[in-house]
C-alpha cells in the first residue's frame, strides 16, 4: 500500500472523537497520524493500520481540486 506523508486517510473505524479522517505525519514500519477532528496525534504499527484504511487520498489529488 502506497501511503506517503501528507496523505488523508479515511478509516473504517472512528476515532473516539467521532472523526474517520486522519492525516499521515510519518510513515515507515509504523505511522504517526493526526486526527482531523480533534488534532490528537498517535503512533500505530503498519500491519495494524493497513487493515483499517478504507480510502487513501494523496496530497497532490487534494491540492489540485
Amino acid at each position: 500500500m502506497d501511503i506517503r506523508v501528507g496523505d488523508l486517510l479515511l478509516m473504517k473505524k472512528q476515532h473516539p472523537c467521532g472523526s474517520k479522517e486522519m492525516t499521515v505525519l510519518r510513515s515507515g514500519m509504523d505511522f504517526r497520524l493526526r486526527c482531523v477532528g480533534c488534532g490528537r496525534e498517535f503512533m500505530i504499527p503498519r500491519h495494524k493500520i493497513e487493515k483499517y484504511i478504507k480510502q487513501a487520498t494523496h496530497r497532490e489529488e487534494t491540492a489540485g481540486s
Side-chain angles (χ1 to χ4, degrees):
M1 188 168 259
D2 182 33
I3 298 173
R4 292 172 257 157
V5 174
D7 289 355
L8 186 66
L9 304 178
L10 182 64
M11 311 303 283
K12 293 178 184 175
K13 292 188 173 187
Q14 296 182 11
H15 188 250
C17 73
S19 177
K20 289 188 174 185
E21 294 183 334
M22 307 288 166
T23 304
V24 178
L25 302 176
R26 177 179 181 262
S27 64
M29 285 300 293
D30 52 358
F31 285 90
R32 178 175 288 277
L33 302 177
R34 178 182 292 140
C35 176
V36 173
C38 65
R40 173 124 177 148
E41 293 182 10
F42 55 95
M43 303 262 313
I44 189 166
R46 176 180 282 273
H47 67 87
K48 191 171 183 181
I49 196 68
E50 285 183 344
K51 292 189 291 186
Y52 298 128
I53 296 173
K54 190 175 198 178
Q55 177 184 1
T57 308
H58 297 296
R59 183 177 17 182
E60 297 80 19
E61 293 174 9
T62 58
S65 300

